[in-house]
Amino acid sequence: MTTPLMSTPDFVVAIPARYAASRLPDKPLQLIGNRPLVLHVALRALAAGARDVWVAADDERIANVLEGCGVRVAMTSPDHASGTDRLAECARIAGWSDDTIVVNLQGDEPFAPASGLQAAARALAESGAEMATLATPIEDAAALFDPNTVKLVRADDGTALYFSRAPIPWPRDAFADDRSVLPQGAHWLRHIGLYAYRTGFLKRFASLAPGRLERIESLEQLRALEAGFRIAVALSPEPFPPGVDTPEDLERAQRHWAATTAGH
C-alpha cells in the first residue's frame, strides 16, 4: 500500500534579485522575448499558487519593471553578501511569522515549473528537515564535469550528504577507462538552486558565519550541512531548465523561449 502524497502546504515565494550581477551586467532587466528576466521569474512564482510572492530587490529599476504584475517588492540593502541575507531582510519587511514556509526562487530561473516550487514546499513539510531543495538527474558526461553544474549526493532517507562542483560520486573503475560517457547503473543528480525553509530558520541561517567547505566550493548550502542541519532533497517532478548566469546562458534561454512560443 502506497502512502498518498501530502497536499501542498501554505507557502510564500521570495525571489532575491540583485541588479549588479558580475557575470551578466544588469541581469534582472535582460530581455527574454519581450519581458525582463526578473518578470519571467515573478510570473512563474505566481503560477505556483503561493499565498504571497515577494521580490527582494536592491535597485528601483527592478521594482519598476515589476509594477502591476501582482508581486510585492521589498527594497533591500545593496550591500548583502548573499541572496539568503537579502531574503532575511525581506522576511523582516514582509513580517512573516517564524513558521511560514518560504520558497526561495532564484531571480535567474525564468523557466521554473510551478510543480517544482510546490515540491520543495512539500519536501520541507514532510521531512521535518530545516531546509529542502530540488535535484534532477544528470544525463551526460559534459554536465557532470562542468564545475558550473552543482552535483549532490543524498542519503537513503532523501537528505543531502554533500554538494560539490566536482563529479560526485566518482565511479573509480569506469572512469579509469573512459570519462566521455556516463557508465550504466550510476545515477548522478544536478542540484537545482531552489530552497524551502521556515522563516525562523531562514533568519538563523543568515546569521551563521560562512563555513570552511562553503568557502572552498563557493556553495552557500554547505554552510547548513557544516552546522549540522538537514537538507531534504526532492526530485523535480518535471524538467527544470538551467538558470541564467552568463551571456551564453541568456542566449540559450532566448532560444528556448523562442522555440516554446513559436506559433502562439
Side-chain angles (χ1 to χ4, degrees):
M1 181 176 177
T2 58
T3 303
L5 275 176
M6 176 181 178
S7 60
T8 302
D10 182 74
F11 67 100
V12 301
V13 175
I15 302 166
R18 186 168 65 94
Y19 186 78
S22 57
R23 287 187 286 179
L24 183 58
D26 311 338
K27 180 162 73 169
L29 305 190
Q30 293 288 339
L31 293 181
I32 298 176
N34 60 353
R35 292 176 182 161
L37 170 61
V38 70
L39 179 56
H40 279 280
V41 180
L43 294 175
R44 289 284 175 159
L46 287 167
R51 167 166 57 88
D52 220 353
V53 177
W54 284 69
V55 173
D58 67 347
D59 191 290
E60 289 288 350
R61 285 168 286 192
I62 296 172
N64 291 341
V65 300
L66 294 170
E67 190 170 347
C69 78
V71 304
R72 304 178 73 175
V73 178
M75 295 307 301
T76 56
S77 169
D79 300 324
H80 287 306
S82 70
T84 302
D85 295 334
R86 192 171 308 285
L87 289 197
E89 183 182 358
C90 178
R92 289 190 290 272
I93 293 170
W96 296 321
S97 65
D98 280 353
D99 63 352
T100 298
I101 293 177
V102 181
V103 174
N104 172 358
L105 175 62
Q106 302 300 315
D108 55 11
E109 297 281 1
F111 307 120
S115 63
L117 278 68
Q118 296 160 358
R122 279 198 304 273
L124 183 78
E126 291 175 353
S127 66
E130 288 84 6
M131 291 177 63
T133 192
L134 295 182
T136 192
I138 291 176
E139 307 289 354
D140 62 84
L144 183 66
F145 284 92
D146 182 355
N148 294 313
T149 300
V150 178
K151 279 68 67 173
L152 69 88
V153 176
R154 61 179 186 166
D156 289 343
D157 66 357
T159 55
L161 291 173
Y162 195 67
F163 298 82
S164 182
R165 298 184 183 278
I168 57 169
W170 181 269
R172 184 193 64 180
D173 295 338
F175 278 173
D177 296 328
D178 186 359
R179 299 181 188 178
S180 64
V181 296
L182 298 182
Q184 295 294 318
H187 301 283
W188 286 272
L189 294 175
R190 171 174 72 86
H191 179 227
I192 296 168
L194 175 146
Y195 301 97
Y197 21 52
R198 296 186 186 275
T199 301
F201 180 75
L202 166 61
K203 294 175 181 175
R204 183 176 181 184
F205 182 47
S207 71
L208 295 173
R212 180 178 60 89
L213 296 174
E214 175 187 357
R215 292 193 297 270
I216 292 171
E217 296 256 20
S218 293
L219 295 175
E220 190 180 21
Q221 62 270 35
L222 290 174
R223 185 187 313 180
L225 293 186
E226 284 188 89
F229 298 111
R230 293 188 304 142
I231 303 177
V233 181
L235 294 180
S236 179
E238 60 183 288
F240 208 113
V244 176
D245 268 331
T246 65
E248 293 75 22
D249 293 339
L250 180 63
E251 290 177 9
R252 185 196 63 240
Q254 290 165 337
R255 291 194 301 270
H256 178 81
W257 177 254
T260 56
T261 56
H264 289 267

